[in-house]
Amino acid sequence: MSDIKIPPGRVTPWHQTNWDWRAAGNFIGGGTGTGLLFFSTLAAGSADSYRIMALIALAFIGGGLTCVWLEIGKPFRAINVFFHPHTSWMTREGMVAVPVFLCGLAAAWFGGGIFVGMAALLGIVFLYCQGRILQASKGIPAWREPKIVPLILSTGFVEGAGLAAVLSAVLPGEGPRWLAGVLLGALILRRIAWTMYFKAVEQSGLPKKAMDVLRPFGAKFEMLGQLAPEILIVAGIFYGAVLPGLTLVAGLVAAASGWWLKYTIVARAAYNQGYALPVLPVRGQGEVKPGIKPGWTK
Amino acid sequence: MARYIMTVDLRRCIGCQTCTAACRHANATPPGVQWRKVLDIESGEFPDVRRSFVPVGCMHCGDPPCMHVCPSTATYQRADGLVGINYELCIGCGYCAVACPYQARYIVHKREFAYGDRPTEQEEARFDPNRMSVANKCTFCSDRVDLAKEKGLTPGVDPEVTPACVNSCIAGVLAFGDREDPNSNVSQLLAENQFFRMHEELGTDPGMYYIFDTK
């Protein structure tokens, strides 16, 4: 957490200082890891390839959780994170992380079997928890929009499918050619989720500074993060000989754009609610006047 | 059961920040941490300009988002509506701070002093290491409120069991009491006046009521 000082009388929304790049790291690592854990079941060309992919996936998830551990004020009390499953999605994320690691490690050890499917499914639950963690952050308008959940889910799928495409190209055993189609499908899902999310925050209103981050980002993201990998895959489908190479590049771009998206939403667009008055009070001889909501688009 | 709330008469506030100072004195908060603060909001365009002074802080919500997200159950809600933090349980993850739509929570990692790099006598005497690197916020002076039963006093009426900010207010802006008691000072004020609650649309059921006009 940063030590940035906020002027005490500030009224308009300001950038929250409690969660920084380390929080973004958790969402990036968690999404990429769980997505890879899921898609490695399709992408691995051999048991050895699966083992490597699963271990890389667990490393991503573990890296993300380590980022969080580095951010909390009392790291040696981290065990207390498990105390509140009734309502806290952070507790639920922590609880799911344990079987994700156990099943993931068992799946990597055996190189197949029931643990593969269990790890993949538990990974999706973990990813869902991450989406709900953001949605429950009522103080941050860019996060509390409910459509952030499908966005986080689809971004995790893209990151996982992208990385699975890259790894299947470089690891022993040939991955299926239709993996390119799976990546394209994930990209289309993310395109829909991003569009829905952005429209929702435009309609409901956001702090102006958050929108000043998201609007220019969105324009670049749609070109570089969405359109570019989609074109690469479609081109590969039409010119089959170059499909593996283009899928590899598309996979890298797709995964990296997911990290860019999460860093932008979690670390850059995280402006808080600020203060607002539904009406202006009577003072002296004055009358009640319409209220104000400083620093907001609506 | 009681539901303790605070009313803020926006017609009366002059922005003197005495409540802020009283809170800091009562709760020994470090520089940069203001559990109670008064916003000075200028609005409108010349010649129709308004200046509003708005005391803010933890709203002790009836449905507190900070409590729901807390992974360690450090944030809790008492039967009388006050929202508190168990510093021994808190892991300082900051989730409550991003869940609070009132920017009412603070986490301090480094000890700082009002004057220079050494604590004053008061700062040294009141320093609480349990508050370092964990979330902290306004308690509605729950330690005072807790004395009410033992002493047979009424919070909001008897200064000894009333939050420091309310006691200190020179303009009679702040009042504290039981919303469930129709005869309490706050219930009377709300019955006679028009009021709003901040960011009520977020469904937090905030416990600070802002009076803006008579009925």
Side-chain angles (χ1 to χ4, degrees):
Chain A
M1 288 163 223
S2 92
D3 287 323
I4 298 167
K5 293 286 179 287
I6 306 297
R10 180 130 197 201
V11 178
T12 55
W14 64 89
H15 198 283
Q16 62 81 27
T17 56
N18 291 288
W19 285 9
D20 57 16
W21 64 268
R22 288 166 290 190
N26 180 37
F27 292 99
I28 288 169
T32 307
T34 54
L36 180 58
L37 210 50
F38 185 80
F39 284 107
S40 58
T41 58
L42 307 172
S46 66
D48 283 342
S49 288
Y50 174 78
R51 285 193 177 99
I52 294 169
M53 285 189 193
L55 290 174
I56 291 173
L58 293 179
F60 266 101
I61 300 169
L65 292 172
T66 304
C67 282
V68 172
W69 187 73
L70 289 173
E71 187 160 51
I72 65 176
K74 297 281 187 187
F76 297 110
R77 288 185 196 168
I79 196 79
N80 292 1
V81 83
F82 294 107
F83 286 4
H84 202 199
H86 312 292
T87 57
S88 176
W89 286 97
M90 192 181 271
T91 296
R92 292 168 185 172
E93 181 203 37
M95 285 182 155
V96 175
V98 176
V100 166
F101 273 93
L102 291 177
C103 289
L105 287 171
W109 179 267
F110 293 112
I114 191 169
F115 291 114
V116 173
M118 283 173 66
L121 291 176
L122 285 165
I124 302 305
V125 178
F126 182 92
L127 185 58
Y128 178 74
C129 290
Q130 289 207 323
R132 293 301 297 267
I133 284 174
L134 287 176
Q135 192 197 337
S137 304
K138 267 195 177 167
I140 311 296
W143 299 353
R144 68 172 178 239
E145 164 52 49
K147 293 196 170 57
I148 201 154
V149 178
L151 181 61
I152 290 293
L153 279 170
S154 59
T155 304
F157 288 148
V158 168
E159 290 163 339
L163 216 55
V166 173
L167 291 172
S168 72
V170 297
L171 290 173
E174 199 179 336
R177 286 176 72 84
W178 47 261
L179 193 59
V182 171
L183 177 56
L184 183 62
L187 278 162
I188 291 168
L189 275 181
R190 187 176 69 176
R191 177 182 280 280
I192 295 166
W194 163 255
T195 306
M196 285 167 60
Y197 166 79
F198 191 72
K199 273 190 181 161
V201 292
E202 265 189 327
Q203 277 169 11
S204 59
L206 270 192
K208 281 178 191 160
K209 287 190 172 175
M211 196 50 100
D212 288 346
V213 171
L214 288 182
R215 189 167 278 127
F217 162 77
K220 290 180 208 155
F221 171 73
E222 284 170 22
M223 293 298 290
L224 300 173
Q226 285 292 140
L227 194 61
E230 285 165 354
I231 288 174
L232 285 172
I233 295 169
V234 172
I237 291 169
F238 275 102
Y239 302 98
V242 290
L243 181 62
L246 291 184
T247 304
L248 188 148
V249 177
L252 270 178
V253 174
S257 63
W259 303 337
W260 183 28
L261 171 79
K262 286 180 184 168
Y263 180 78
T264 302
I265 291 178
V266 176
R268 292 186 56 225
Y271 285 83
N272 62 22
Q273 180 75 26
Y275 299 100
L277 301 178
V279 293
L280 293 180
V282 168
R283 288 186 70 84
Q285 298 298 312
E287 295 171 347
V288 173
K289 294 262 179 168
I292 51 165
K293 197 173 182 183
W296 274 71
T297 55
K298 279 189 179 176
Chain B
M1 191 62 209
R3 161 83 158 107
Y4 287 118
I5 62 154
M6 194 172 282
T7 58
V8 181
D9 194 335
L10 293 175
R11 299 167 301 181
R12 287 170 165 260
C13 187
I14 58 169
C16 67
Q17 306 276 359
T18 305
C19 54
T20 307
C23 172
R24 295 194 65 175
H25 178 76
N27 296 296
T29 55
V33 174
Q34 293 187 347
W35 289 357
R36 168 74 61 247
K37 61 184 173 185
V38 183
L39 306 175
D40 181 345
I41 305 175
E42 285 185 24
S43 53
E45 282 183 23
F46 179 83
D48 188 14
V49 180
R50 284 289 182 104
R51 196 168 176 200
S52 310
F53 299 108
V54 185
V56 293
C58 174
M59 304 275 165
H60 292 268
C61 300
D63 190 12
C66 56
M67 180 184 74
H68 296 314
V69 302
C70 177
S72 65
T73 64
T75 296
Y76 60 91
Q77 187 176 39
R78 304 181 353 165
D80 59 8
L82 302 194
V83 177
I85 301 169
N86 183 337
Y87 300 135
E88 302 292 323
L89 279 179
C90 180
I91 62 171
C93 66
Y95 196 9
C96 56
V98 294
C100 172
Y102 303 101
Q103 297 79 237
R105 290 188 166 240
Y106 298 86
I107 299 180
V108 175
H109 296 283
K110 202 166 63 183
R111 203 175 164 199
E112 287 185 359
F113 313 108
Y115 304 102
D117 54 4
R118 288 189 180 177
T120 61
E121 216 172 295
Q122 159 82 352
E123 283 173 330
E124 191 59 53
R126 301 290 307 276
F127 175 66
D128 181 0
N130 288 328
R131 275 205 223 153
M132 296 303 292
S133 294
V134 297
N136 66 80
K137 68 167 193 73
C138 157
T139 63
F140 267 1
C141 291
S142 56
D143 50 337
R144 291 172 184 233
V145 174
D146 287 343
L147 294 174
K149 200 177 272 182
E150 180 188 318
K151 299 202 168 189
L153 301 174
T154 307
V157 175
D158 299 300
E160 201 179 339
V161 292
T162 299
C165 55
V166 178
N167 286 338
S168 73
C169 182
I170 60 170
V173 175
L174 303 175
F176 182 78
D178 180 7
R179 178 84 168 98
E180 295 298 312
D181 175 3
N183 298 314
S184 71
N185 51 351
V186 290
S187 294
Q188 298 285 329
L189 279 166
L190 296 180
E192 292 161 9
N193 294 289
Q194 296 185 70
F195 60 87
F196 66 80
R197 293 184 292 170
M198 201 182 282
H199 307 324
E200 202 172 0
E201 70 282 4
L202 296 176
T204 53
D205 185 19
M208 278 181 82
Y209 291 69
Y210 292 93
I211 292 169
F212 63 90
D213 200 359
T214 48
K215 269 190 179 162

